[in-house]
Amino acid sequence: MVSIENFGMLSNGQQVKKYIIKNKKEEYVELLDFGATIHSINVLDKKGNIGDVVLGINKASDLEKNSFAGITIGRCANRIEYGKCVIDGKEIQLERNLFGKHFLHGASGNYGFRHFEGKINEEENSVSFYLQDKGEGGFNCNVDAEITFKFDNDSNLKISYKMIPYGTTILCPTNHTYFNLNGGDVRKLKLQINSDKIVNRKEEGLVTSGTHSVIGTPADFTKMRRTPKRFDEVYVLPKNVNKKVASLYDDITGREVDVYTDAEALIIFNGIAENDSPQKNNIIYKGYCGFCMETQFVPNAINCKGFSLPVFRKGEQLISETIYSFKVIRD
C-alpha cells in the first residue's frame, strides 16, 4: 500500500510530499520528493516491535541545509580530483566544492537538493521519482533521471536507478542513508563485507589507481565483527549481478540489513555528528550515530586506471539496482 502526505514547505513556498510504502507486516518506508530522500525505514525487531533504523531531518526547511541523510546523490557521487576529467580527448572542468579544490557529490547540481516529480505504482508497491538534470555542477548536457523505490512483503527495499544522458557524460548515482539499527552507538554493530580488496587512496580521501588486500588489517571484515573506531573505506566488489556484498547486524534488537547490488564499489563509513538542534523525532544526533553503506562506481574512477569508467553517451542508459534487505535474527 502506498499513500501520500504533506511534509511541509520549503522557503520558496514549495510543498514537500511524503510517500509512505507499507508492506503486509505493517513495516513501512517514508520517502520525500525533495532529494528523492529516504526519510525513514521502519522494520521489526526480535521482540516484534517496529522501529525506525535510519537518521533523518526534523522538518521540511531542514532539507535546504547541508544534510545528506537519506538523499539521492547525482549525477556523480563522491570525489573527482580537482574537478577535472578527460572524456573522448576533451578536458572538462567541473565545480570544485570540496576544500575549494575538488568536485564532490554533484556540487551545485546535487540531486539531494532538487525537487523530483513522484509517481505511485500500487501494483508494484513502489514510488518513482523523476528529474531532468540540466547540467548544473559544470556538466555539458542534460540527463533524464528516474529513481524507483520498492518495498516488499519480505522487507526488501529496492532502489533502481535509470539515467539517460543527452550527450557524453559521467553518471554515478548513489543513496546517502545513515543506518542505525538500535538508536545507540553504531560502533557496537557487527559488519561483514564480501570483499577482500580496498582501493588505494591518498590525502583528502582521493582514490588513486589500484587496490590492495585487507586481509589481516583493520579493514578486514571478511568475517563478521564489530567496528570499534572511526572507519572509512572503499571496497571493490566481485563482478556478479545483484550479489550480496555486506551485512550489518545488531545483537540487541536482532535486526540485520543485507546489501545486494550490481555496483562495482561499496563505500563504508560510520558518521560522527555533533548537532545541537533536534533532528528527526526530536532526537539530537551526537557521536557515532550513523552507518553508511553506499553502492556506486569507484570514486574518481574517471581519473584512475583499473576501474570501470562511469561514462555514458547519448542514448545509453545507466541501469543499476541496490537492495537493502532487512531480517530479524532471534536468539
Side-chain angles (χ1 to χ4, degrees):
M1 184 179 73
V2 186
S3 58
I4 308 177
E5 297 178 0
N6 288 332
F7 184 69
M9 284 192 175
L10 303 173
S11 59
N12 63 4
Q14 278 190 301
Q15 180 69 52
V16 177
K17 294 179 182 178
K18 179 169 69 175
Y19 293 76
I20 304 152
I21 310 177
K22 184 176 288 188
N23 68 15
K24 290 184 178 179
K25 302 178 193 174
E26 299 299 315
E27 298 174 317
Y28 61 98
V29 172
E30 295 179 316
L31 310 165
L32 305 178
D33 60 0
F34 189 89
T37 299
I38 296 175
H39 179 60
S40 75
I41 301 175
N42 301 271
V43 292
L44 289 161
D45 66 10
K46 64 184 178 183
K47 295 182 179 179
N49 298 317
I50 293 178
D52 191 1
V53 296
V54 300
L55 308 188
I57 49 89
N58 193 39
K59 54 188 182 299
S61 60
D62 294 336
L63 290 166
E64 300 173 273
K65 301 175 183 177
N66 191 24
S67 171
F68 281 49
I71 66 173
T72 295
I73 293 177
R75 94 178 45 176
C76 180
N78 227 286
R79 295 158 169 78
I80 295 178
E81 187 170 8
Y82 297 117
K84 290 183 178 181
C85 57
V86 176
I87 301 177
D88 295 340
K90 181 180 179 181
E91 183 173 290
I92 298 172
Q93 179 63 64
L94 303 172
E95 292 178 0
R96 296 188 289 180
N97 61 317
L98 178 66
F99 311 127
K101 293 167 38 178
H102 310 295
F103 171 94
L104 176 69
H105 287 341
S108 64
N110 191 338
Y111 291 1
F113 304 101
R114 292 288 180 268
H115 223 133
F116 286 71
E117 177 187 353
K119 183 178 180 180
I120 292 172
N121 186 327
E122 286 281 6
E123 291 184 2
E124 292 290 327
N125 218 34
S126 69
V127 178
S128 294
F129 293 106
Y130 300 89
L131 174 75
Q132 187 174 81
D133 168 357
K134 297 185 182 299
E136 297 94 341
F139 293 101
N140 59 357
C141 69
N142 290 5
V143 170
D144 290 334
E146 175 185 345
I147 298 94
T148 299
F149 298 86
K150 178 180 178 179
F151 189 53
D152 66 23
N153 293 322
D154 294 319
S155 309
N156 298 309
L157 176 60
K158 179 193 289 186
I159 307 174
S160 301
Y161 302 95
K162 179 180 179 181
M163 300 172 71
I164 305 174
Y166 287 51
T168 301
T169 190
I170 299 171
L171 301 178
C172 176
T174 193
N175 182 272
H176 208 290
T177 290
Y178 289 89
F179 292 91
N180 190 318
L181 300 182
N182 66 19
D185 189 328
V186 296
R187 292 175 297 176
K188 296 180 181 179
L189 303 177
K190 293 180 180 179
L191 174 68
Q192 183 173 10
I193 301 174
N194 295 328
S195 170
D196 61 1
K197 289 183 174 61
I198 56 176
V199 300
N200 296 328
R201 298 165 87 183
K202 57 182 180 180
E203 66 277 1
E204 298 170 341
L206 291 164
V207 174
T208 61
S209 298
T211 64
H212 59 276
S213 173
V214 300
I215 302 301
T217 74
D220 185 353
F221 287 91
T222 51
K223 295 182 180 179
M224 184 169 277
R225 64 181 180 87
R226 298 190 193 277
T227 60
K229 61 180 181 178
R230 183 71 170 157
F231 187 62
D232 179 4
E233 295 291 355
V234 180
Y235 289 81
V236 177
L237 302 174
K239 292 184 178 181
N240 297 311
V241 175
N242 290 333
K243 65 268 183 185
K244 180 178 174 181
V245 299
S247 298
L248 188 66
Y249 171 66
D250 172 47
D251 49 17
I252 297 174
T253 63
R255 292 189 180 107
E256 180 170 304
V257 54
D258 299 327
V259 185
Y260 296 81
T261 189
D262 53 19
E264 183 179 17
L266 176 71
I267 299 176
I268 297 282
F269 62 94
N270 49 9
I272 300 175
E274 294 298 337
N275 294 320
D276 293 322
S277 58
Q279 300 299 305
K280 187 173 59 177
N281 300 322
N282 290 317
I283 296 172
I284 296 176
Y285 298 143
K286 284 189 177 291
Y288 288 85
C289 58
F291 198 97
C292 272
M293 297 180 287
E294 298 176 14
T295 60
Q296 59 177 85
F297 284 93
V298 171
N300 200 37
I302 191 66
N303 293 315
C304 300
K305 295 180 180 179
F307 306 122
S308 299
L309 293 179
V311 175
F312 293 78
R313 291 170 171 80
K314 183 178 180 179
E316 290 184 338
Q317 296 185 16
L318 176 145
I319 302 289
S320 183
E321 290 185 350
T322 291
I323 299 171
Y324 295 107
S325 180
F326 296 88
K327 62 185 178 184
V328 176
I329 298 176
R330 292 177 171 84
D331 298 334

